[in-house]
Structure formats: C-alpha cells, structure tokens
Amino acid sequence: MPERYSKQLKAIFSEFVIDTMNGIMVFDGKDQIIFCNKVIAEMYGLIDCSSVYGKTFNQMAAHCYHTNTGIIIDTDDLDSWLAYAKDKRRGQQYRRFEVDLHDGRWFLISEQLVHDDYIVMIATDITDKKNAESRLTEMSKELFLLATTDALTNVFNRRHFMEQALTEQKRCQREKFSYALLMLDLDTFKAINDNYGHACGDTVLVSIAKMIKKELRDYDLLGRIGGEEFAILLPNTSRKSALSISERIRCSIENLNIESKGHSIKATVSIGVAFDKNADKPLEDVFLIADKFLYHAKENGRNQVVLCD
C-alpha cells in the first residue's frame, strides 16, 4: 500500500476511534491502559482520557467502586472481585458481558485478547434495548396478573386457582402429603348488597379477602371462584390444622368491622372443609365434598365450619 494511503487510513481510523459512539480501550500485557476514547473514560466515571492513560484496570475499577461513579461494581469484597475479574479477562480469548452504570445507562462489553497479551475492549451503549426489555417485562407481569387475578379482591381468579390447586394436589400426592380444601361463602351477602348498595358489597368482599390472606400461610392458595364464594387449598395440612385454620378464619371475619360509605357492616361466613389424607382423590371430587359440607354449614344456621368425616 502506498505510504500516502497508509497515512490517510491511520488518520481516518484515529478520527473514527475517537469520535465513534462506541467506547474503545486497549490494555497492554501489564493491564495498563494505552488507549481509550471519551466514551470509555465517561463509562469509568472520568471526564476525559488524559487521566486514564497508564492506569491499570484495577485502578479504574477501584475508582468506580469508591466514588460510586461509572460502572456499578456490586460486591462487599473488592479484592476478591478484582481477582475474579482478572481470571475472566485473561482466561479466555474472547468474551461478552453487560454492565450497568450509576447514571442508569447499560453497555455491552466485548473483550478480545490479541498479540502479546493485549486486550481490546469495545463498549456499545444498549440502554434503549435494556429499557425496552424492562418495559416488556413489566407489561408481561401486568398481563399475567390480569389473566390470573380477580380484579376486585386481588386473589386468584377461578381459572388460575383451579390450575394451581391441581398442581399442588399432584405435588402432595407425589410427596405423600395430606391436604385440605375449604369452600367459603359469605352469609346473607344479598342482604348486604340490598341494604347498603353494591359498592359497599364490593368493600366487604375486599375486606374479607384481605382478612383471609392474613390467616393463611405463604404457600396456601386462595381464590375467588364465584360472586361471594372463595376456595382455599391448604397443602401439607393435617385434619386438626385444617379445622384450626378454618375456625380462625371464621372468627376473624365474624369480629371484623367493615367501614364503607358511613356504614359499619358486619359479615359472617360458612365454611365446608374436605380433607384428602392420601391426596389420591380426583380434585373434582374433593371440590364436591367441600361444597357439600358448605351446604350443611348453611343449612345448620350459617357462620360455622363443617369438616367431612
């Protein structure tokens, strides 16, 4: 190649490297910086390149760590982190990874070992991509909640409760655990709607759902399966515990004062409990049993728990 073209190419390349939107940095075999552009300097929390040359990767990382600028280094032990980073950087010919910065930006980093153990690092701003991914994740969560959650009471809707209950029942069967299924229905709910209005009725449903949640364990399942009807599945539960939890729920609701639109409303619930010791009954049958005993609770005067024999 003629020398004049060689000089032109070097000038063009130099201008491109300095002005490109990508960050470019070169480390020598001793891990000292011999070249960087402004993008990389800012990525390490520095204003320009003049303060970067001659510094090592460890010094740059320590600067970010101690000043809370540039790249986020999430560790309680910087020395161990630096040792780990050294093994990664010098342990493979090429690698790619993502880093986030204290100013909210994200970069995709590629590092390549070249002759004489030099490292060429290129950083590409992927902030827009990460933000789009974050928005998509949030939208997916919202859609999942809409598909699985009762909009009023914020518990599982009927369909999702049935799906989760079947999964939990099969798990209990595999692990030879017993479980209980509770069918819970508000007593005289129509009268509440007629006397106080449907808005107050909605408040009653929300308040009762919250109260039930407080009485359940983290792994219990709760769903609204009808207008004023809820279902509860208690995995890995004995008959005695199922009865105790059911009574606790009933008493808590009976003692609950629900304030809505200037009214103080009292409510009670009837609960039918089915118990499957070996988790070997079809789930549909267990629902029918719980529903049967809920009917007995209603017929026997309401505001009570009836547990199957």
Side-chain angles (χ1 to χ4, degrees):
M1 178 184 296
E3 185 177 347
R4 68 177 185 277
Y5 291 133
S6 178
K7 289 180 179 179
Q8 287 176 343
L9 284 173
K10 286 181 180 179
I12 293 170
F13 178 75
S14 178
E15 183 177 347
F16 167 78
V17 167
I18 291 171
D19 294 337
T20 180
M21 297 297 291
N22 291 332
I24 299 176
M25 179 177 279
V26 181
F27 296 88
D28 65 15
K30 296 179 180 179
D31 230 7
Q32 292 179 320
I33 299 165
I34 61 172
F35 177 83
C36 84
N37 64 358
K38 188 176 180 180
V39 176
I40 285 282
E42 292 177 350
M43 199 176 78
Y44 279 98
L46 300 169
I47 298 174
D48 54 49
C49 300
S50 60
S51 56
V52 174
Y53 290 117
K55 286 187 168 58
T56 64
F57 170 80
N58 283 10
Q59 289 173 322
M60 298 291 288
H63 169 76
C64 294
Y65 181 77
H66 292 301
T67 62
N68 289 322
T69 58
I71 297 172
I72 296 174
I73 299 176
D74 187 14
T75 182
D76 295 324
D77 186 347
L78 181 60
D79 290 336
S80 296
W81 186 92
L82 291 172
Y84 172 81
K86 180 180 179 181
D87 289 340
K88 284 288 186 181
R89 299 176 74 238
R90 299 286 172 175
Q92 47 193 309
Q93 193 71 25
Y94 177 81
R95 70 182 187 122
R96 300 177 72 192
F97 55 95
E98 296 176 356
V99 297
D100 54 336
L101 276 58
H102 285 279
D103 63 10
R105 289 182 294 164
W106 282 83
F107 280 85
L108 174 64
I109 307 295
S110 63
E111 288 185 344
Q112 184 161 355
L113 281 170
V114 296
H115 63 86
D116 296 329
D117 209 23
Y118 281 54
I119 293 179
V120 176
M121 185 174 81
I122 298 176
T124 304
D125 192 325
I126 57 170
T127 306
D128 290 344
K129 174 177 174 290
K130 296 296 288 188
N131 288 340
E133 289 175 354
S134 179
R135 289 193 296 271
L136 183 60
T137 299
E138 289 302 316
M139 288 174 61
S140 296
K141 289 179 180 178
E142 291 175 9
L143 289 172
F144 179 77
L145 285 175
L146 287 172
T148 61
T149 306
D150 176 62
L152 177 65
T153 60
N154 201 33
V155 301
F156 289 158
N157 59 26
R158 180 185 180 91
R159 178 179 178 180
H160 192 60
F161 178 85
M162 299 296 283
E163 291 172 350
Q164 293 300 305
L166 183 59
T167 298
E168 200 58 43
Q169 188 252 5
K170 289 180 177 178
R171 186 185 68 82
C172 288
Q173 190 176 67
R174 288 194 307 270
E175 300 180 8
K176 303 187 185 311
F177 290 151
S178 57
Y179 74 93
L181 180 69
L182 284 56
M183 296 293 286
L184 180 152
D185 191 82
L186 273 70
D187 297 326
T188 63
F189 184 65
K190 183 178 183 300
I192 293 175
N193 279 331
D194 291 344
N195 293 334
Y196 303 107
H198 287 277
C200 289
D202 287 348
T203 301
V204 170
L205 289 171
V206 171
S207 300
I208 285 177
K210 288 180 179 178
M211 179 57 68
I212 295 172
K213 280 184 179 179
K214 289 180 181 179
E215 300 296 343
L216 297 179
R217 302 162 298 185
D218 290 341
Y219 51 86
D220 294 331
L221 304 180
L222 169 63
R224 183 185 177 197
I225 60 172
E228 66 268 26
E229 193 170 29
F230 295 85
I232 303 167
L233 191 137
L234 307 175
N236 192 18
T237 301
S238 67
R239 184 187 298 269
K240 182 179 179 181
S241 293
L243 181 59
S244 175
I245 293 171
S246 301
E247 278 292 344
R248 196 166 66 232
I249 291 171
R250 186 197 64 77
C251 289
S252 295
I253 293 172
E254 183 182 25
N255 295 323
L256 183 64
N257 288 315
I258 303 168
E259 302 294 331
S260 178
K261 296 186 178 298
H263 303 291
S264 183
I265 305 170
K266 301 288 288 184
T268 62
V269 295
S270 298
I271 303 175
V273 184
F275 181 73
D276 191 357
K277 182 177 180 180
N278 300 312
D280 55 358
K281 297 182 178 68
L283 188 60
E284 295 84 356
D285 291 352
V286 179
F287 267 95
L288 290 173
I289 293 169
D291 198 55
K292 173 184 175 182
F293 285 97
L294 170 62
Y295 176 79
H296 287 339
K298 292 282 190 181
E299 288 293 299
N300 292 337
R302 303 187 179 92
N303 190 25
Q304 60 185 274
V305 176
V306 177
L307 175 67
C308 68
D309 295 333

